[in-house]
Amino acid sequence: MYTISLLLKPLGGNTLPLALFDFLTYEFKPTAAAAATLSILLSIGGVALVQRLVGLQRAF
Amino acid sequence: MTNTFAHQRPVNLGFGIVIVLLYVLLMAPLVMIIGASFTDGMMIDFPPQGFSMRWYIEFFNRQDLVDGLLMSLRIGAITAVVTLTVAMMAAMAGQAISGRLSGWFQLGMMLPLLVPELLTAVGLLFFLYKIELAKTVTGLQMGHILMSFPYAYVSIAAAIRQVPASLEEASQSLGATGWQTFRLVILPLVMPGLAMGGIFAFINSF
């Protein structure tokens, strides 16, 4: 997805991975770790939500 | 009997070690990055020095990163919804097609996974320039939907294949319209696959 986002990104806009990459080019601060953690939590949150609503074990 | 299986113990032990190593390999980066985000120091390091939430505050104070997060969320949500709708229709069409055409159809639906991502991206960029949508959010959105589509399709098509054709026929012979059959018979049965496909699409895009 990164390649797609990199080539097609709108003028003046960035997705989180691209923004993170730009950030890490100039600064190496734990802010990046915080951003990565947030995106991990969002993914887990999405899975948990679906698990509660439908139950993923039925999908396999 | 015990003697016959005694030689399997070392194999099981080796298997266990491999599984543990695999989990460590997969989980170590996650644990490290989550741990490092709570550090009190100035550097990303593990184990973290002290505990503080200040890097989260710093994150939400950075306009560029927050903009990126919002853009990713928005694109991910739209991608999930659109991909699900299209993939559901495609999966039902794929189910209806039979014979040799079916294989080609499946292959066609999987193409975004088979073609190198860079190739798709460059091709899409040229196409978007032609229709004057390059470098817009709409264009990026289209790219994300295209790349997420196969994931949703695979999971939904697998779910639809599980639905016995007899249920559909029964529903129709009991007088249900096509829409009623879809809404009351097929959709509830396919729901877990749909949810799975939606989550795949969202996470992939996010």
Side-chain angles (χ1 to χ4, degrees):
Chain A
M1 264 346 233
Y2 185 82
T3 324
I4 286 269
S5 300
L6 184 66
L7 265 81
L8 302 182
K9 72 172 177 182
L11 292 170
N14 254 348
T15 63
L16 186 60
L18 294 174
L20 209 52
F21 185 75
D22 286 350
F23 175 81
L24 282 171
T25 313
Y26 299 105
E27 297 163 89
F28 194 70
K29 289 197 293 190
T31 315
T37 307
L38 282 176
S39 77
I40 294 169
L41 287 182
L42 271 165
S43 302
I44 295 177
V47 174
L49 186 75
V50 170
Q51 165 70 27
R52 275 208 61 116
L53 291 180
V54 225
L56 285 183
Q57 60 275 24
R58 286 209 289 143
F60 293 107
Chain B
M1 268 316 242
T2 36
N3 275 349
T4 358
F5 288 109
H7 69 282
Q8 280 196 348
R9 274 196 77 118
V11 179
N12 282 342
L13 189 67
F15 207 56
I17 291 174
V18 168
I19 289 177
V20 168
L21 280 178
L22 210 64
Y23 264 90
V24 168
L25 199 69
L26 288 173
M27 299 304 282
L30 292 185
V31 172
M32 277 188 72
I33 207 73
I34 292 175
S37 73
F38 290 106
T39 183
D40 201 21
M42 289 304 289
M43 291 293 290
I44 299 181
D45 54 6
F46 191 84
Q49 301 174 333
F51 176 87
S52 85
M53 296 289 283
R54 65 187 170 113
W55 297 111
Y56 287 88
I57 298 165
E58 159 113 358
F59 172 81
F60 284 107
N61 282 332
R62 290 280 307 231
Q63 197 57 48
D64 52 345
L65 293 180
V66 173
D67 281 350
L69 178 67
L70 292 179
M71 167 90 90
S72 275
L73 278 177
R74 186 179 130 189
I75 289 186
I78 299 179
T79 301
V81 173
V82 177
T83 308
L84 269 191
T85 317
V86 181
M88 180 75 199
M89 294 194 279
M92 291 183 73
Q95 181 77 353
I97 297 173
S98 58
R100 208 186 325 159
L101 220 60
S102 161
W104 285 106
F105 184 82
Q106 307 271 350
L107 185 69
M109 295 297 109
M110 299 302 294
L111 267 185
L113 273 187
L114 302 176
V115 179
E117 195 179 338
L118 184 63
L119 222 66
T120 317
V122 173
L124 202 56
L125 188 60
F126 280 132
F127 173 69
L128 289 174
Y129 268 120
K130 279 261 188 268
I131 60 171
E132 297 187 345
L133 274 178
K135 305 282 167 196
T136 65
V137 183
T138 319
L140 179 61
Q141 183 71 70
M142 285 167 67
H144 274 237
I145 291 171
L146 183 71
M147 290 307 289
S148 301
F149 177 79
Y151 296 98
Y153 176 79
V154 167
S155 121
I156 298 174
I160 284 193
R161 223 169 290 134
Q162 304 284 322
V163 179
S166 54
L167 284 184
E168 221 172 310
E169 288 157 12
S171 161
Q172 270 159 10
S173 71
L174 289 171
T177 62
W179 173 251
Q180 281 172 328
T181 305
F182 172 73
R183 172 79 188 70
L184 299 171
V185 178
I186 298 179
L187 204 56
L189 286 171
V190 186
M191 212 51 192
L194 266 181
M196 201 65 205
I199 273 296
F200 270 150
F202 177 77
I203 291 178
N204 187 45
S205 157
F206 188 70

